[in-house]
mmCIF file of all heavy atoms in Angstrom:
data_model
loop_
_atom_site.group_PDB
_atom_site.id
_atom_site.type_symbol
_atom_site.label_atom_id
_atom_site.label_comp_id
_atom_site.label_asym_id
_atom_site.label_seq_id
_atom_site.Cartn_x
_atom_site.Cartn_y
_atom_site.Cartn_z
ATOM 1 N N GLU A 403 139.868 128.318 -38.653
ATOM 2 C CA GLU A 403 141.232 128.801 -38.888
ATOM 3 C C GLU A 403 142.228 128.095 -37.966
ATOM 4 O O GLU A 403 141.945 127.869 -36.792
ATOM 5 C CB GLU A 403 141.307 130.314 -38.661
ATOM 6 C CG GLU A 403 140.424 131.114 -39.596
ATOM 7 C CD GLU A 403 140.874 131.030 -41.042
ATOM 8 O OE1 GLU A 403 142.060 130.711 -41.286
ATOM 9 O OE2 GLU A 403 140.041 131.285 -41.932
ATOM 10 N N ARG A 404 143.385 127.775 -38.490
ATOM 11 C CA ARG A 404 144.433 127.116 -37.701
ATOM 12 C C ARG A 404 145.727 127.921 -37.798
ATOM 13 O O ARG A 404 146.069 128.450 -38.860
ATOM 14 C CB ARG A 404 144.697 125.691 -38.228
ATOM 15 C CG ARG A 404 143.448 124.843 -38.406
ATOM 16 C CD ARG A 404 142.971 124.234 -37.093
ATOM 17 N NE ARG A 404 141.654 123.614 -37.226
ATOM 18 C CZ ARG A 404 141.435 122.380 -37.669
ATOM 19 N NH1 ARG A 404 142.466 121.626 -38.040
ATOM 20 N NH2 ARG A 404 140.216 121.901 -37.739
ATOM 21 N N ILE A 405 146.448 127.987 -36.701
ATOM 22 C CA ILE A 405 147.764 128.635 -36.673
ATOM 23 C C ILE A 405 148.815 127.631 -37.146
ATOM 24 O O ILE A 405 148.814 126.470 -36.706
ATOM 25 C CB ILE A 405 148.096 129.090 -35.238
ATOM 26 C CG1 ILE A 405 147.171 130.223 -34.812
ATOM 27 C CG2 ILE A 405 149.549 129.523 -35.121
ATOM 28 C CD1 ILE A 405 147.469 131.538 -35.460
ATOM 29 N N GLY A 406 149.708 128.077 -38.022
ATOM 30 C CA GLY A 406 150.806 127.225 -38.473
ATOM 31 C C GLY A 406 152.051 127.430 -37.620
ATOM 32 O O GLY A 406 152.157 128.409 -36.869
ATOM 33 N N ALA A 407 153.004 126.512 -37.754
ATOM 34 C CA ALA A 407 154.228 126.596 -36.955
ATOM 35 C C ALA A 407 154.983 127.891 -37.222
ATOM 36 O O ALA A 407 155.529 128.519 -36.303
ATOM 37 C CB ALA A 407 155.112 125.386 -37.239
ATOM 38 N N GLU A 408 155.016 128.314 -38.496
ATOM 39 C CA GLU A 408 155.729 129.536 -38.852
ATOM 40 C C GLU A 408 155.056 130.751 -38.220
ATOM 41 O O GLU A 408 155.733 131.664 -37.713
ATOM 42 C CB GLU A 408 155.781 129.695 -40.370
ATOM 43 C CG GLU A 408 156.621 130.873 -40.852
ATOM 44 C CD GLU A 408 158.075 130.790 -40.377
ATOM 45 O OE1 GLU A 408 158.625 129.657 -40.334
ATOM 46 O OE2 GLU A 408 158.638 131.838 -40.029
ATOM 47 N N GLU A 409 153.727 130.774 -38.229
ATOM 48 C CA GLU A 409 153.003 131.879 -37.599
ATOM 49 C C GLU A 409 153.258 131.902 -36.093
ATOM 50 O O GLU A 409 153.440 132.971 -35.494
ATOM 51 C CB GLU A 409 151.499 131.731 -37.861
ATOM 52 C CG GLU A 409 151.093 131.876 -39.321
ATOM 53 C CD GLU A 409 149.631 131.504 -39.517
ATOM 54 O OE1 GLU A 409 149.320 130.292 -39.571
ATOM 55 O OE2 GLU A 409 148.813 132.436 -39.616
ATOM 56 N N PHE A 410 153.271 130.731 -35.486
ATOM 57 C CA PHE A 410 153.491 130.651 -34.044
ATOM 58 C C PHE A 410 154.865 131.190 -33.666
ATOM 59 O O PHE A 410 155.032 131.827 -32.616
ATOM 60 C CB PHE A 410 153.321 129.212 -33.575
ATOM 61 C CG PHE A 410 153.459 129.021 -32.094
ATOM 62 C CD1 PHE A 410 152.902 129.917 -31.192
ATOM 63 C CD2 PHE A 410 154.165 127.939 -31.582
ATOM 64 C CE1 PHE A 410 153.031 129.739 -29.827
ATOM 65 C CE2 PHE A 410 154.301 127.759 -30.217
ATOM 66 C CZ PHE A 410 153.733 128.661 -29.338
ATOM 67 N N ARG A 411 155.846 130.968 -34.504
ATOM 68 C CA ARG A 411 157.188 131.457 -34.212
ATOM 69 C C ARG A 411 157.255 132.979 -34.187
ATOM 70 O O ARG A 411 158.180 133.555 -33.612
ATOM 71 C CB ARG A 411 158.182 130.891 -35.235
ATOM 72 C CG ARG A 411 158.657 129.474 -34.903
ATOM 73 C CD ARG A 411 159.862 129.078 -35.734
ATOM 74 N NE ARG A 411 159.487 128.779 -37.102
ATOM 75 C CZ ARG A 411 159.118 127.573 -37.530
ATOM 76 N NH1 ARG A 411 159.080 126.557 -36.690
ATOM 77 N NH2 ARG A 411 158.791 127.370 -38.802
ATOM 78 N N ARG A 412 156.293 133.640 -34.810
ATOM 79 C CA ARG A 412 156.279 135.102 -34.838
ATOM 80 C C ARG A 412 155.665 135.697 -33.569
ATOM 81 O O ARG A 412 155.704 136.913 -33.381
ATOM 82 C CB ARG A 412 155.492 135.606 -36.051
ATOM 83 C CG ARG A 412 156.131 135.279 -37.397
ATOM 84 C CD ARG A 412 155.691 136.277 -38.464
ATOM 85 N NE ARG A 412 154.255 136.374 -38.586
ATOM 86 C CZ ARG A 412 153.510 135.633 -39.420
ATOM 87 N NH1 ARG A 412 154.097 134.724 -40.181
ATOM 88 N NH2 ARG A 412 152.210 135.788 -39.475
ATOM 89 N N TRP A 413 155.081 134.852 -32.735
ATOM 90 C CA TRP A 413 154.471 135.373 -31.516
ATOM 91 C C TRP A 413 155.557 135.939 -30.602
ATOM 92 O O TRP A 413 156.571 135.278 -30.346
ATOM 93 C CB TRP A 413 153.735 134.266 -30.770
ATOM 94 C CG TRP A 413 152.407 133.881 -31.366
ATOM 95 C CD1 TRP A 413 152.001 134.068 -32.638
ATOM 96 C CD2 TRP A 413 151.335 133.224 -30.691
ATOM 97 N NE1 TRP A 413 150.746 133.568 -32.822
ATOM 98 C CE2 TRP A 413 150.301 133.035 -31.632
ATOM 99 C CE3 TRP A 413 151.146 132.764 -29.399
ATOM 100 C CZ2 TRP A 413 149.098 132.422 -31.310
ATOM 101 C CZ3 TRP A 413 149.952 132.154 -29.066
ATOM 102 C CH2 TRP A 413 148.932 131.996 -30.011
ATOM 103 N N PRO A 414 155.375 137.135 -30.076
ATOM 104 C CA PRO A 414 156.362 137.670 -29.128
ATOM 105 C C PRO A 414 156.319 136.907 -27.808
ATOM 106 O O PRO A 414 155.275 136.382 -27.405
ATOM 107 C CB PRO A 414 155.911 139.125 -28.940
ATOM 108 C CG PRO A 414 154.458 139.129 -29.273
ATOM 109 C CD PRO A 414 154.268 138.086 -30.340
ATOM 110 N N VAL A 415 157.456 136.820 -27.141
ATOM 111 C CA VAL A 415 157.520 136.173 -25.830
ATOM 112 C C VAL A 415 156.989 137.155 -24.789
ATOM 113 O O VAL A 415 157.500 138.263 -24.647
ATOM 114 C CB VAL A 415 158.966 135.757 -25.490
ATOM 115 C CG1 VAL A 415 159.024 135.164 -24.082
ATOM 116 C CG2 VAL A 415 159.487 134.768 -26.519
ATOM 117 N N LEU A 416 155.949 136.746 -24.075
ATOM 118 C CA LEU A 416 155.297 137.615 -23.094
ATOM 119 C C LEU A 416 155.286 136.955 -21.722
ATOM 120 O O LEU A 416 155.443 135.736 -21.608
ATOM 121 C CB LEU A 416 153.855 137.913 -23.528
ATOM 122 C CG LEU A 416 153.657 138.518 -24.921
ATOM 123 C CD1 LEU A 416 152.172 138.677 -25.215
ATOM 124 C CD2 LEU A 416 154.367 139.865 -25.046
ATOM 125 N N GLN A 417 155.067 137.768 -20.705
ATOM 126 C CA GLN A 417 154.957 137.264 -19.340
ATOM 127 C C GLN A 417 153.500 136.950 -19.022
ATOM 128 O O GLN A 417 152.581 137.618 -19.506
ATOM 129 C CB GLN A 417 155.478 138.304 -18.346
ATOM 130 C CG GLN A 417 156.940 138.662 -18.544
ATOM 131 C CD GLN A 417 157.844 137.456 -18.365
ATOM 132 O OE1 GLN A 417 157.732 136.723 -17.372
ATOM 133 N NE2 GLN A 417 158.741 137.229 -19.323
ATOM 134 N N GLY A 418 153.304 135.930 -18.189
ATOM 135 C CA GLY A 418 151.954 135.568 -17.786
ATOM 136 C C GLY A 418 151.971 134.839 -16.464
ATOM 137 O O GLY A 418 153.037 134.519 -15.923
ATOM 138 N N PRO A 419 150.793 134.531 -15.915
ATOM 139 C CA PRO A 419 150.740 133.844 -14.622
ATOM 140 C C PRO A 419 151.251 132.413 -14.720
ATOM 141 O O PRO A 419 151.186 131.789 -15.786
ATOM 142 C CB PRO A 419 149.246 133.874 -14.273
ATOM 143 C CG PRO A 419 148.545 134.018 -15.581
ATOM 144 C CD PRO A 419 149.444 134.822 -16.452
ATOM 145 N N ASP A 420 151.743 131.887 -13.586
ATOM 146 C CA ASP A 420 152.183 130.493 -13.579
ATOM 147 C C ASP A 420 150.962 129.574 -13.485
ATOM 148 O O ASP A 420 149.817 130.040 -13.418
ATOM 149 C CB ASP A 420 153.178 130.233 -12.452
ATOM 150 C CG ASP A 420 152.581 130.458 -11.065
ATOM 151 O OD1 ASP A 420 151.335 130.447 -10.922
ATOM 152 O OD2 ASP A 420 153.352 130.652 -10.111
ATOM 153 N N SER A 421 151.180 128.284 -13.464
ATOM 154 C CA SER A 421 150.065 127.332 -13.525
ATOM 155 C C SER A 421 149.151 127.435 -12.313
ATOM 156 O O SER A 421 147.931 127.280 -12.427
ATOM 157 C CB SER A 421 150.593 125.908 -13.660
ATOM 158 O OG SER A 421 151.339 125.529 -12.520
#
Side-chain angles (χ1 to χ4, degrees):
E403 298 293 338
R404 310 279 170 84
I405 292 287
E408 186 59 37
E409 294 171 281
F410 183 41
R411 278 193 285 271
R412 294 205 305 269
W413 284 23
V415 176
L416 305 177
Q417 299 299 311
D420 63 20
S421 64

